[in-house]
Amino acid sequence: MQSEIYLRWRLRAAGYGDHEVRRMLRDGSLHPIRRGAYVAGPSEDPAVGHALLVRAALAELSPDAVVSHVSAAVLHGLRVWGIPLDRVIVTRTRRRSGARRGSRVHVHCAPMEPDEIVLVDGLPVTSVPRTIVDVARTVGFEQAVVVADAALEAGLVDEGALAVALARWSRWPGLPAARRAIGFAARGSGSVGESRSRVAIAEAGLPAPILQWEVRRSDGTFVGRVDFGWPRQRTVGEFDGRVKYGKLLRPGQDPADVVYEEKRREDALRAEDLAVVRWTWPDLTHFAPVAARLRSRLT
């Protein structure tokens, strides 16, 4: 995430005229990330593009600006879903809370303790616990769970640190929502889809599953690991995302081989008298049919 930022005034100082900059923008040699700031070539990953926006913005902000909220989550490498990345979010240390929202930068003013500021690739960023609390009190439940799950799964934070962060600023706006999202967050969700699935399962009133359940035969031999398991009801749930199968590819392996192996794995699960319920990205938008299939097994 440390691609070089080219500022217009620096390009001019290096002898590049406006017509040359326009030509490089047309041919793709430069890609605009904000007004007067560019990087070499396009950036297709929204997170990478946002990280570049952060670097460009900090070059023009007050030295006491600390990257925060979703911008900090991106720099910490956390999964982000459903949160706009068109604005850079920073916080300046002030005794009283406040905010100034511009077209490119959203500046919060709030108190911060020294241990809540860390360096990430040389940039001042709110710590992971502070970042998660800030995100969870300012976005929706589902979006907050995705970020908190990612931090717990990556081992970047634990429940104790999050409890301390919540207690430190107990009177801030949005803290009740943050407590709900952080209280629901858990290790074991390996993707955005799995985190969103957990939310959908809970909202449907279904029993909480075991995450990353290891299925074994009666003799103890390993059958497979599943996304969601309800051992007493002999039921497993699997979220099928395209990225999931991409990660399973070994060098030189054909995607069809992965599908075949997955079919064999499911056959082995069913041989253990387990019902397998699968769903995909579109199902997360309208989860009722999947919930009905799960409910028929679980209740």
Side-chain angles (χ1 to χ4, degrees):
M1 290 190 181
Q2 295 195 43
S3 300
E4 186 174 356
I5 305 294
Y6 298 95
L7 299 177
R8 180 180 286 274
W9 68 268
R10 288 179 178 168
L11 289 171
R12 285 175 175 168
Y16 289 90
D18 288 343
H19 68 286
E20 292 176 286
V21 172
R22 288 194 292 270
R23 176 182 57 77
M24 289 188 287
L25 288 170
R26 286 195 302 269
D27 66 22
S29 300
L30 287 180
H31 177 73
I33 56 173
R34 59 173 293 167
R35 185 175 182 179
Y38 317 95
V39 292
S43 176
E44 297 180 358
D45 186 333
V48 173
H50 187 74
L52 293 170
L53 274 177
V54 169
R55 288 188 172 275
L58 283 187
E60 302 175 6
L61 292 174
S62 170
D64 68 343
V66 178
V67 183
S68 63
H69 296 74
V70 69
S71 295
V74 168
L75 292 194
H76 281 300
L78 302 178
R79 295 188 295 268
V80 172
W81 171 83
I83 307 175
L85 296 177
D86 56 333
R87 287 183 178 87
V88 172
I89 304 181
V90 301
T91 297
R92 300 178 65 185
T93 302
R94 296 291 187 273
R95 295 179 69 97
R96 294 184 178 182
S97 298
R100 177 173 58 82
R101 186 184 180 105
S103 61
R104 292 291 186 176
V105 180
H106 190 165
V107 180
H108 290 267
C109 293
M112 283 186 289
E113 297 293 342
D115 65 347
E116 293 180 316
I117 303 174
V118 299
L119 288 179
V120 177
D121 294 335
L123 302 180
V125 182
T126 52
S127 66
V128 173
R130 170 66 183 258
T131 296
I132 293 172
V133 171
D134 281 342
V135 169
R137 66 189 184 86
T138 55
V139 304
F141 179 82
E142 192 173 13
Q143 291 89 336
V145 168
V146 167
V147 177
D149 276 2
L152 288 168
E153 180 66 13
L156 297 179
V157 74
D158 59 30
E159 292 82 358
L162 289 174
V164 169
L166 283 168
R168 177 173 279 176
W169 309 112
S170 59
R171 296 184 179 180
W172 276 5
L175 257 295
R179 292 190 189 97
R180 288 193 296 273
I182 290 172
F184 184 81
R187 290 176 176 83
S189 289
S191 68
V192 170
E194 290 176 29
S195 292
R196 292 187 62 202
S197 295
R198 285 205 312 117
V199 173
I201 289 167
E203 289 181 344
L206 297 168
I210 293 175
L211 306 182
Q212 305 302 318
W213 179 38
E214 288 191 356
V215 178
R216 295 185 179 275
R217 298 183 177 90
S218 57
D219 62 2
T221 56
F222 180 75
V223 177
R225 181 180 289 105
V226 299
D227 297 336
F228 308 97
W230 291 268
R232 290 182 58 189
Q233 293 88 353
R234 306 303 296 165
T235 301
V236 303
E238 291 276 78
F239 169 74
D240 289 335
R242 293 179 62 186
V243 174
K244 177 177 180 178
Y245 291 109
K247 288 181 178 179
L248 294 175
L249 276 174
R250 295 186 293 272
Q253 189 177 27
D254 189 277
D257 295 333
V258 175
V259 174
Y260 176 69
E261 289 180 6
E262 184 64 15
K263 173 64 166 57
R264 292 187 61 187
R265 172 177 168 275
E266 182 168 326
D267 288 344
L269 292 171
R270 294 186 188 280
E272 296 303 307
D273 193 31
L274 289 167
V276 179
V277 179
R278 293 184 176 275
W279 58 89
T280 61
W281 277 107
D283 294 317
L284 293 176
T285 304
H286 182 52
F287 199 67
V290 176
R293 299 205 309 271
L294 286 171
R295 189 172 290 107
S296 69
R297 291 284 309 180
L298 302 179
T299 59

